[in-house]
Amino acid sequence: MDDRYIAGYMRISDDDEDLGEGKKESNSIENQRKLIESYVERHEELSLYPLKEFADDGVSGVNFNRPGVQRLLKEIKENRIQCVVVKDLSRFGRNYIEAGDYIEQIFPFLGVRFISIADNFDSFKNPAGIEIGLKNLIHDLYSRDLSKKIKSTKALMQKQGVYSGGGVPFGYIRDDGNGKTSDFIPDPEAAQVVRQIFTLAADGNTTTKIADILNKKDIPTPGAYKREHEKIRYQMKNDKRNLWTSSQISLIIQNEVYLGTFVSHKLSTVKPGGVRKIQESEYVKLENHHDKLIEKEIFQKAQKVISTGKKRKNRKDKENKNPSPLRGKIKCGCCGYGMSFKPSVKKPYYYCRMGDSCGSHMRIDSNLMENIVWDILQKMIEVCHEKEKVMQGEQMQILSAISGIQEKKRALEIRTEHCRISRLELYHQWKEGKITKEEYITRKRESSSDEAEYQKELEQLSQRLSDILSLQKQIEQKSGLAMFVGVQNLTKELADELIERIEVYDNGRVEIKWKIKDVME
């Protein structure tokens, strides 16, 4: 028994629903887990090892770009896994070529055992043959055929006005009363907020002004409302505060769903995990699909605010072009939202774009902020230079040790080969009568004993070499100087590499959250 473990891999996706509820239930993560645990317990040679789970819940098996399977393959490459156990081959993957490569070539080469319970396949007992290849091919073809059926079914549902997305638009809930889960009905509380947004826009208020009004009234954003009313684990983008923004207002004002129009087919799947945007002329639109929240006249008036806002934004973008290497990094410490850049001939500065909604009206000199960051980075560079000098000395010692071990290994390998050749010569001498049988046996035994000693020394040297190479790798990873080589000033590339975010507080405090904790420490 070694220190590796058994990996139980499980997967389920929406594809399983196509074969009925019973099939979906049999393929559930829980059932796969029970099957794998039971199988491992029944086989003594497996039960001696700890069992670790890897799972992909709700992920298609048509390719290997899955979080669970990627973690599994990473640990296999790191030689941590002794055996992989799956319920059946389709759980591991539905791609014929990729799945076949792993089962037939990669796993055997890495010494990893692969077991598919339902297929009665064990790579240690019966190496992959034509039947495994055929099964993988069938799973692949089935997946491709199913993909076509799903696409055509979704296209038909879209033309019929059946909503197959996730959450419904803000202002609506699903109508579950008549069995048509695709229909939208107004959510009284949220719908009132949507009507208020359109009324304010039709009266000429900008999207920024509308956001400020909603924030002053403490009206929950769509995300906060969804988390509160639908009891779902909704992850907020901002962990400090959740405020309305002008971009959120713009998205609502431009959404035709509030006119009672069903809009779908905005995206098209080009490959597993990859989509492309569809031109608006190709959208599927169905008018009078559900109850409208806004009259067309109000909707059209509100669009003028959006077009005016876009022109103003494009003009500001040209005027406010931010040359700072810290652009996108500066956040308000009060509300957590990104700070905007204000150019100025004398003193360009960052300011909190949330304005009255935040209440802090935070601002900081752009040049001052860059100088603060650059001063810290210069100190980091000095520390890294000193650290690098020490590391260079350690690396020189390691290289010298590696060279010495490699020379000893070569000498031992030559001696080992010499022992083999000498035994062959002894055999010929005995056959030719030049030495007696007793001399042959004695000298052969001595040569074999010498070779065993050399082999033992070679194994010890190989282990020492492996340990030293591992140490060398650790030292290289600790080196933080590579990213600073040739750096003379703060650049956007350097800031992106090192800095997560910079939070500015109204008491003058600045917090920098670094991406490189090891170098900072």
Side-chain angles (χ1 to χ4, degrees), residues 50-99:
L51 176 63
K52 183 174 181 179
E53 291 184 3
F54 296 84
D56 285 305
D57 197 346
V59 183
S60 173
V62 294
N63 64 36
F64 280 77
N65 188 23
R66 294 169 254 151
V69 87
Q70 285 300 314
R71 286 191 296 106
L72 171 70
L73 297 176
K74 180 177 181 293
E75 299 210 12
I76 286 175
K77 292 174 183 175
E78 293 172 353
N79 196 31
R80 296 179 181 177
I81 294 175
Q82 191 264 358
C83 177
V84 177
V85 184
V86 297
K87 178 198 172 216
D88 58 53
L89 291 170
S90 68
R91 298 302 96 201
F92 182 60
R94 292 186 182 275
N95 184 295
Y96 162 64
I97 296 176
E98 277 193 283

Side-chain angles (χ1 to χ4, degrees), residues 235-242 335-337 501 503 513:
Q235 181 64 41
M236 299 294 189
K237 292 182 179 179
N238 189 341
D239 57 0
K240 287 183 178 290
R241 295 175 67 182
N242 201 38
C335 66
Y337 286 87
R501 58 191 285 137
E503 294 185 355
K513 296 188 178 180

Side-chain angles (χ1 to χ4, degrees), residues 236-377:
M236 299 294 189
K237 292 182 179 179
N238 189 341
D239 57 0
K240 287 183 178 290
R241 295 175 67 182
N242 201 38
L243 301 172
W244 286 90
T245 63
S246 60
S247 58
Q248 281 180 314
I249 303 297
S250 297
L251 289 173
I252 288 176
I253 291 175
Q254 295 176 84
N255 198 340
E256 294 178 71
V257 73
Y258 300 115
L259 287 173
T261 302
F262 175 81
V263 183
S264 61
H265 192 52
K266 294 182 178 181
L267 300 172
S268 176
T269 302
V270 293
K271 61 180 181 179
V275 295
R276 67 177 177 87
K277 291 184 177 180
I278 302 295
Q279 293 183 354
E280 189 173 350
S281 59
E282 298 179 37
Y283 289 177
V284 175
K285 294 187 178 183
L286 296 175
E287 295 183 356
N288 302 316
H289 172 264
H290 51 270
D291 292 340
K292 60 184 177 182
L293 300 184
I294 305 299
E295 294 298 329
K296 193 167 186 177
E297 182 182 355
I298 299 293
F299 186 87
Q300 289 174 342
K301 283 184 179 180
Q303 303 313 299
K304 294 180 181 179
V305 173
I306 296 297
S307 59
T308 304
K310 283 182 178 179
K311 291 178 182 177
R312 190 183 294 111
K313 182 179 183 301
N314 291 336
R315 186 172 64 251
K316 281 187 176 181
D317 287 343
K318 290 180 181 178
E319 294 173 355
N320 297 4
K321 190 173 181 181
N322 186 355
S324 172
L326 299 177
R327 57 184 178 272
K329 304 288 183 184
I330 314 294
K331 311 291 179 183
C332 172
C334 178
C335 66
Y337 286 87
M339 298 178 72
S340 297
F341 179 76
K342 180 69 175 178
S344 172
V345 177
K346 293 183 179 179
K347 285 188 177 182
Y349 61 88
Y350 285 94
Y351 65 96
C352 179
R353 62 185 175 88
M354 299 309 292
D356 293 337
S357 295
C358 171
S360 67
H361 298 284
M362 197 89 63
R363 67 166 59 188
I364 187 168
D365 186 301
S366 173
N367 294 328
L368 173 64
M369 190 72 255
E370 289 177 33
N371 290 336
I372 290 172
V373 174
W374 178 236
D375 286 344
I376 295 172
L377 287 178

Side-chain angles (χ1 to χ4, degrees), residues 6-13 16 26-38 51-61 66-72 84-93 114-115 117:
I6 306 294
Y9 177 74
M10 299 156 286
R11 182 186 66 81
I12 189 171
S13 72
D16 297 300
S26 70
N27 279 333
S28 70
I29 295 296
E30 182 60 30
N31 276 331
Q32 291 180 60
R33 179 183 293 114
K34 290 178 181 177
L35 183 66
I36 292 170
E37 288 176 350
S38 175
L51 176 63
K52 183 174 181 179
E53 291 184 3
F54 296 84
D56 285 305
D57 197 346
V59 183
S60 173
R66 294 169 254 151
V69 87
Q70 285 300 314
R71 286 191 296 106
L72 171 70
V84 177
V85 184
V86 297
K87 178 198 172 216
D88 58 53
L89 291 170
S90 68
R91 298 302 96 201
F92 182 60
F114 183 86
I115 296 174
I117 300 170

